[in-house]
Amino acid sequence: MLASLLMTGAGWSQDEADEPAFSRGGADGCLGCHRQPELQGIFVSPHGERGDARTPFAQLECESCHGAQGSHPMGGRESVVTFGEGALTPVDEQNAACLNCHESPVGAEWHAGEHAAQDLSCASCHNSHLAKDPVLAEATQADVCYDCHQRQRGQAQKPYAHPVRFGKMDCSSCHAPHGSATQGSLKRLTLNETCYECHAEKRGPFAFEHQPVTEDCALCHAPHGSNHPAMLTRRAPLLCQQCHSQAGHPSLSLTAGSLPGGSPSALVLGGSCLNCHAQVHGSNHPSGITQMR
Ligand code: HEC
Ligand code: HEC
Ligand code: HEC
Ligand code: HEC
Ligand code: HEC
Ligand code: HEC
Ligand code: HEC
Ligand code: HEC
Ligand code: HEC
Ligand code: HEC
């Protein structure tokens, strides 16, 4: 039965014995044996679009990705390209099957990226057989990443975090998943540029800049989530005192009554620094040099 299948519909040709041959039956031949319902979503995915000459199903169908059928299934699993975890096919070959069609723009980013250096396969993140690939949807992407990035899962659950856990943002809101020249594989050229995309009001320029803000938002903010309001890495005054000496605060020389906080101790206790220095991201007020307005 197997032999007759091979000789007829999905047969291999004798004259090209060293190069595995593509089947004549195409997808129909494969589907004769591979009927699993979980494989069939691919027909309604963008790859299944037969009207688009660039897609697999307008070309060699299943074999566009899985390679020539050749001696399969007699040759076993290793006789076709298998993908993802537990695959027998080396990662380079798996990825080449996809990059055949996706060299631009994916390939260029990919080869320079950390995930390629870590030997990930495209199928570590992409599921090609579902109608909708979960890694492409805001609501489901993070779960794919959390498979390997457990720490970020924990951070996203903290009380102050970007709305990733509500499916309103995803990791690729900030990251280039295929890779980028930026440290941390961010979407934009610098960390701050990445943040400005959504927090444009923090870009300035301000008449009075606060140096750490123009340098690196992450000096004060934990972008994956934090236990402190506004996703701060720590609370004020500790946050500020990492860089500003307590002793040097000029208000110590002022009389207690002349300050809005009442007494000098209000600087560090209930009042905190932000009660007075509210414009911590920079100020455009003529007397904004100390970021109080
Ligand atoms: C005659 C039945 C038959 C046909 C036709 C057939 N396969 Fe298979 N295929 C099998 C069997 C049986 C296995 C399991 C082999 C093993 O475990 O050693 C398999 C395994 C596979 C696997 C690996 C699955 C895994 O668990 O890793 C892939 C991928 C695959 N086939 C793709 C295809 C494609 C693509 C075609 C058409 C070009 C095709 N097969 C045609 C019977 C078939
Ligand atoms: C024969 C060419 C071809 C091969 C091989 C191929 N793709 Fe595609 N892929 C396409 C085309 C064409 C599109 C549709 C692009 C578009 O609409 O701009 C597409 C779209 C996609 C998309 C976007 C789907 C969506 O829902 O928007 C992803 C992700 C993707 N491919 C990943 C892969 C991966 C992973 C592999 C390897 C396992 C692969 N592709 C192999 C041609 C191919
Ligand atoms: C770390 C997970 C991950 C890996 C590994 C990965 N991708 Fe993607 N891919 C994504 C995400 C996330 C998106 C959606 C990007 C977005 O939302 O901007 C995407 C989008 C795509 C798209 C749609 C077009 C586009 O650029 O938006 C294609 C095509 C694609 N990937 C192909 C590939 C190929 C080919 C490989 C292997 C060389 C690969 N991907 C590896 C996560 C991954
Ligand atoms: C766009 C590339 C692509 C095309 C076209 C494609 N596959 Fe796949 N196939 C994959 C990837 C990637 C996987 C790994 C698991 C996943 O992404 O779902 C896979 C997995 C499989 C598996 C193993 C499933 C398992 O549970 O281990 C089989 C069998 C298979 N494909 C058969 C087929 C058949 C039959 C066709 C044609 C109807 C086909 N594939 C078309 C990319 C493709
Ligand atoms: C199969 C495992 C795996 C999956 C899935 C995965 N990653 Fe990774 N990723 C790694 C490994 C391994 C590293 C390198 C070690 C590290 O930094 O944790 C890495 C590194 C990174 C880095 C740091 C890159 C750098 O240049 O330092 C970012 C950002 C990242 N991944 C984002 C993502 C996103 C976003 C997703 C989901 C779209 C994802 N990863 C899915 C394994 C994975
Ligand atoms: C609001 C923007 C933003 C979002 C959303 C985001 N990240 Fe990041 N991520 C960053 C920044 C900024 C860095 C630090 C880059 C650097 O090293 O300077 C970073 C670094 C990383 C790193 C490198 C290791 C580390 O912790 O420094 C990994 C891995 C990572 N992110 C994974 C993820 C994953 C997975 C998601 C989705 C669950 C995600 N990120 C969502 C901004 C973001
Ligand atoms: C894709 C858009 C986007 C990007 C990129 C982005 N953010 Fe956000 N950010 C948001 C959204 C949406 C919120 C939630 C606003 C809300 O809950 O009202 C938010 C909230 C915040 C908050 C907390 C607000 C609060 O009151 O608790 C901080 C701090 C913040 N972002 C910093 C950053 C930093 C730092 C970066 C760059 C590493 C960044 N964001 C990148 C969209 C973005
Ligand atoms: C010197 C520390 C520091 C740096 C650096 C910093 N921030 Fe903040 N940020 C704060 C503090 C403190 C708060 C809380 C302000 C408050 O409660 O009024 C805050 C609040 C926020 C908020 C929420 C409230 C608001 O003002 O919209 C956003 C969004 C934000 N920062 C974005 C950014 C971005 C984007 C960057 C980088 C361009 C950045 N921050 C750099 C200290 C900093
Ligand atoms: C990562 C280090 C860092 C952190 C954290 C930081 N600052 Fe600054 N701050 C600076 C630097 C650097 C300057 C510029 C100093 C200079 O020009 O002498 C500055 C300037 C200032 C100035 C203006 C001083 C002047 O006379 O120009 C004020 C006010 C200020 N910071 C308040 C704060 C407050 C409040 C916080 C906490 C919310 C804070 N800073 C957190 C590094 C930091
Ligand atoms: C009660 C209001 C108030 C609070 C609270 C406060 N400051 Fe100030 N701060 C001022 C005033 C007023 C000045 C300007 C003094 C001057 O112009 O000589 C100032 C000046 C500064 C300067 C500029 C110093 C310089 O050399 O010119 C820094 C830095 C600063 N404060 C940091 C902090 C930090 C850090 C905290 C929290 C630990 C804090 N402030 C809390 C009122 C306050």
Side-chain angles (χ1 to χ4, degrees):
M1 153 73 183
L2 243 181
S4 71
L5 236 176
L6 285 172
M7 296 310 291
T8 56
W12 50 329
S13 81
Q14 295 289 349
D15 36 294
E16 287 173 288
D18 32 357
E19 275 287 305
F22 289 100
S23 72
R24 273 181 236 116
D28 291 341
C30 311
L31 290 171
C33 297
H34 293 289
R35 299 171 186 276
Q36 302 97 303
E38 64 272 19
L39 292 179
Q40 313 306 322
I42 195 166
F43 290 104
V44 291
S45 78
H47 283 140
E49 185 53 69
R50 290 176 192 268
D52 180 342
R54 303 168 304 154
T55 68
F57 283 91
Q59 300 180 23
L60 293 161
E61 308 195 315
C62 315
E63 294 166 282
S64 295
C65 293
H66 288 287
Q69 179 171 353
S71 64
H72 180 76
M74 300 298 266
R77 289 178 67 200
E78 49 276 79
S79 58
V80 279
V81 176
T82 53
F83 294 96
E85 255 168 63
L88 299 170
T89 306
V91 166
D92 282 356
E93 272 176 54
Q94 292 179 46
N95 291 356
C98 308
L99 290 171
N100 264 341
C101 296
H102 292 294
E103 190 52 46
S104 166
V106 174
E109 298 159 1
W110 178 254
H111 298 303
E114 179 65 16
H115 281 139
Q118 298 286 339
D119 258 357
L120 258 66
S121 87
C122 310
S124 307
C125 292
H126 288 291
N127 188 317
S128 298
H129 278 277
L130 295 179
K132 283 208 173 307
D133 183 348
V135 85
L136 298 179
E138 236 167 26
T140 45
Q141 180 191 97
D143 278 332
V144 176
C145 312
Y146 292 154
D147 263 354
C148 302
H149 295 294
Q150 286 293 338
R151 197 154 51 90
Q152 277 70 24
R153 184 201 293 274
Q155 289 167 329
Q157 298 305 323
K158 291 187 172 187
Y160 303 95
H162 276 104
V164 173
R165 77 185 122 158
F166 306 118
K168 298 221 169 97
M169 257 173 89
D170 54 21
C171 314
S172 59
S173 301
C174 295
H175 291 290
H178 299 139
S180 81
T182 320
Q183 182 187 352
S185 197
L186 295 172
K187 257 170 88 175
R188 303 278 169 231
L189 276 176
T190 65
L191 190 152
N192 276 26
E193 285 299 329
T194 305
C195 312
Y196 295 151
E197 194 186 314
C198 301
H199 300 289
E201 78 287 354
K202 301 287 187 287
R203 180 196 289 272
F206 298 103
F208 302 102
E209 308 272 10
H210 191 193
Q211 199 173 310
V213 177
T214 49
E215 236 165 62
D216 183 350
C217 309
L219 285 169
C220 296
H221 294 289
H224 296 134
S226 139
N227 291 326
H228 309 302
M231 275 182 255
L232 292 169
T233 51
R234 24 180 105 187
R235 286 175 193 270
L238 285 181
L239 176 76
C240 317
Q241 287 166 348
Q242 293 175 100
C243 303
H244 295 291
S245 126
Q246 232 170 319
H249 197 280
S251 58
L252 291 176
S253 61
L254 301 175
T255 60
S258 65
L259 285 172
S263 85
S265 63
L267 299 186
V268 227
L269 295 175
S272 184
C273 317
L274 292 156
N275 276 3
C276 298
H277 302 289
Q279 304 304 317
V280 68
H281 298 105
S283 167
N284 281 322
H285 193 277
S287 48
I289 187 159
T290 51
Q291 296 155 4
M292 306 221 284
R293 33 185 151 182

